[in-house]
Amino acid sequence: MEFSPPPPSSPPPGAPGLLEFDLDLRYVGQAVIRRWQVAAACAGLVVAGTALAVFAMRPVYEANALILIEKIGTNSLEKEGVALDSTQDDYYQTQYQILQSRTLAEKVAVELNLAANPEFGAVDPAGALQRAHLRIEPLRRTRLVKVIASAYSPDLAAAIANTLARRYIEAALENKLYFSRELLKSLDGKAGAATMESLPAVVNNTLIQQLKGELATRKGEWAELSQRYQSDHPRMRQLRAHIVATEAQIEREVRHIVESVRIQLSGEFKGNSVQIVDPAQVPRLPARPARRRALALALVLGILAGVGLAVLVDRWDLTLRSAEDIERFLRVRALGSVPLFEGLSGERPDRYDAIWTGPDASAVEAFRNLRTAVSFRLSHVTGPTVIQVTSTLEAEGKSFIAANLARAYAWAGEKVLLIDGDLRKPMVHRIFGVEAEAGLSRYLSNGAEAPRHVPSGIANLTLLPCG
């Protein structure tokens, strides 16, 4: 057992208080070793609770279709002003919103009959699909977009993703061809010359501009000559022929340009800038809950919680198990320790003699070391030295320590007086086998006579029993 002298006036440097959480890795490791049952139980509870929760959850499957959305570049028709302007900066954001639109969700819900599926509900299956079962993830620095659909059924998840992608492509193609259809209607055989000549491709054509300039010049000459000549004049007939030929050439060029535009609208605009790169596959494993990840995370958190709980329990446990505990909790320095002796009894003084005369020298060495430690701590004291051995409860070894420490000093040649101050349950006279009729209690009660010292049978050691 360990013991120490009364606490000094100031605690040793660096010694933590009783409730101060001055923790270090070494202490944490020792606390976990001491309280490994607490740490293991805490970690086990966390892992078990997480396992019950994740295995009780219904698995949700996710399927994703990969779509390529090409931003339409500037082509010949756009330069001529007959294509829609689709080069704004918000083009892709617009496409993402279209993918998540309610219109597409309703088309998918109708095609897959989601109203009959309890997961989506019969009242608003498109709304349920749009809110909780669809997700769009653009791939950074690419023109690729993931359409992710989730459902309790893996087959249904794949069907939703593929159906939405297909419906989006159809809508994109329909929107793209809207203007071309309207323009083709205006370019059929019933279109007038004014309609065709108003097309930007015709207005911006260099040859037609040149021909119209020549036509305007000749018409000016016609107006000027008509004031001097009759219409059947040879010069007037020649000028009229030139005017008719120029008008015919302009008409041929206009029809040629219109036909070219019709061919482009019928061919180039029928292509689509959206396509499915990878259709959704039926998933084999559920996406949620991620059981392995959840259990691994629960194990890590459980270990951390167990370590924290073990340290907390260890800090609140005031049991002293080692010299380090004494220094940490009581804020005093431990002087030493002695072996635990079983079967000691105050009625058998020979048992105490056996400690010093028996074959086991470890006990004698322990008390000698304890004597040296006490002497070192009291080296600054001059004159007679008083050492008090005390404890908080009975049967904690006060008499045992005091008797053997006194014996160790006596064997070292020191003059020792051992006083039994335990007035409730004195033991010194029993340890040394002496009478206790006169002693400390009688002296304290009247003080009429000086206390009588009793020989202990050991050189340099005398006793003052309790009396």
Side-chain angles (χ1 to χ4, degrees), residues 319-341:
T319 304
L320 302 180
R321 296 182 176 83
S322 63
E324 290 80 2
D325 292 340
I326 292 176
E327 295 181 352
R328 184 170 67 254
F329 290 121
L330 302 184
R331 307 185 73 174
V332 295
R333 298 194 183 279
L335 296 177
S337 61
V338 295
L340 178 63
F341 297 92

Side-chain angles (χ1 to χ4, degrees), residues 122-392:
V123 178
D124 187 17
L129 176 64
Q130 186 183 23
R131 289 189 303 269
H133 298 272
L134 282 179
R135 193 169 75 253
I136 305 300
E137 288 187 1
L139 299 185
R140 197 175 179 185
R141 299 180 182 276
T142 70
R143 299 175 182 179
L144 300 173
V145 182
K146 278 187 178 180
V147 177
I148 303 174
S150 61
Y152 291 142
S153 168
D155 295 323
L156 181 58
I160 291 174
N162 287 328
T163 304
L164 182 72
R166 188 176 65 255
R167 287 291 188 175
Y168 167 71
I169 292 176
E170 293 174 357
L173 181 60
E174 182 179 355
N175 293 335
K176 189 175 181 182
L177 292 177
Y178 173 77
F179 183 80
S180 62
R181 286 198 303 265
E182 296 299 318
L183 191 55
L184 284 172
K185 289 179 182 178
S186 66
L187 296 180
D188 58 12
K190 301 178 182 179
T195 302
M196 291 187 291
E197 291 183 7
S198 64
L199 292 175
V202 175
V203 174
N204 298 329
N205 187 272
T206 305
L207 179 58
I208 293 179
Q209 291 177 357
Q210 181 180 354
L211 292 173
K212 286 186 176 182
E214 294 178 1
L215 180 62
T217 302
R218 289 192 171 95
K219 285 185 176 181
E221 293 178 1
W222 171 270
E224 182 182 353
L225 292 176
S226 63
Q227 297 178 2
R228 291 183 292 170
Y229 302 108
Q230 296 294 328
S231 59
D232 57 350
H233 190 275
R235 193 170 179 183
M236 294 292 289
R237 288 198 300 268
Q238 182 182 7
L239 187 57
R240 185 185 304 113
H242 282 298
I243 292 175
V244 172
T246 303
E247 288 178 344
Q249 187 177 0
I250 291 174
E251 184 178 355
R252 287 195 302 272
E253 292 296 332
V254 168
R255 291 191 178 278
H256 176 72
I257 294 174
V258 170
E259 186 64 26
S260 298
V261 170
R262 183 182 291 110
I263 293 174
Q264 287 180 303
L265 292 175
S266 301
E268 182 176 335
F269 271 88
K270 286 184 180 179
N272 200 354
S273 60
V274 181
Q275 59 179 317
I276 297 178
V277 177
D278 288 327
Q281 303 296 323
V282 178
R284 293 180 298 174
L285 298 176
R288 299 189 300 274
R291 292 173 178 172
R292 293 182 180 178
R293 183 171 59 185
L295 292 177
L297 181 61
L299 179 60
V300 174
L301 295 179
I303 292 175
L304 294 178
V307 170
L309 185 60
V311 172
L312 185 62
V313 170
D314 193 75
R315 293 299 298 219
W316 282 89
D317 185 3
L318 304 182
T319 304
L320 302 180
R321 296 182 176 83
S322 63
E324 290 80 2
D325 292 340
I326 292 176
E327 295 181 352
R328 184 170 67 254
F329 290 121
L330 302 184
R331 307 185 73 174
V332 295
R333 298 194 183 279
L335 296 177
S337 61
V338 295
L340 178 63
F341 297 92
E342 302 288 349
L344 291 179
S345 172
E347 302 296 335
R348 298 283 305 276
D350 58 312
R351 304 296 292 271
Y352 285 86
D353 293 336
I355 296 176
W356 295 84
T357 59
D360 187 4
S362 61
V364 178
E365 189 64 26
F367 279 108
R368 288 176 177 173
N369 293 336
L370 183 60
R371 177 201 66 198
T372 302
V374 173
S375 300
F376 180 76
R377 290 295 302 274
L378 301 178
S379 59
H380 63 284
V381 179
T382 59
T385 301
V386 178
I387 301 174
Q388 181 182 9
V389 181
T390 184
S391 69
T392 57

Side-chain angles (χ1 to χ4, degrees), residues 43-54:
L45 287 176
V46 173
V47 173
T50 304
L52 289 176
V54 297

